[in-house]
Amino acid sequence: MTVIAFASVYYLTGNPTMAVALSLIPLLLGLVRVMHGFAYSFAALCLIGAVAWSVAPVDTKTMVRAEVEKTGVKITAR
């Protein structure tokens, strides 16, 4: 779960610090053996988001990228 979350977030943001921080969520929840459903859901949501972004049309990516960059977060996935 951790590897899937890391790879997905890194693909979307290109920021290794953010990817490590967010991938620690399923790792820590798995280590303490609580909220497995949430950990699986989080990793799955990251993966689905990365896959959806990779198949989205260029016009949609341009529009979403412009809106997200207004918040200060940079999307580097092509």
Side-chain angles (χ1 to χ4, degrees), residues 27-46:
L27 177 67
L28 294 175
L29 290 176
L31 286 175
V32 296
R33 300 184 191 278
V34 296
M35 297 177 60
H36 283 146
F38 177 74
Y40 282 114
S41 298
F42 180 77
L45 184 63
C46 292

Side-chain angles (χ1 to χ4, degrees), residues 2-51:
T2 301
V3 173
I4 291 171
F6 174 81
S8 299
V9 173
Y10 185 74
Y11 173 74
L12 288 172
T13 63
N15 185 343
T17 306
M18 185 183 296
V20 168
L22 290 176
S23 68
L24 285 176
I25 293 170
L27 177 67
L28 294 175
L29 290 176
L31 286 175
V32 296
R33 300 184 191 278
V34 296
M35 297 177 60
H36 283 146
F38 177 74
Y40 282 114
S41 298
F42 180 77
L45 184 63
C46 292
L47 179 63
I48 290 169
V51 169

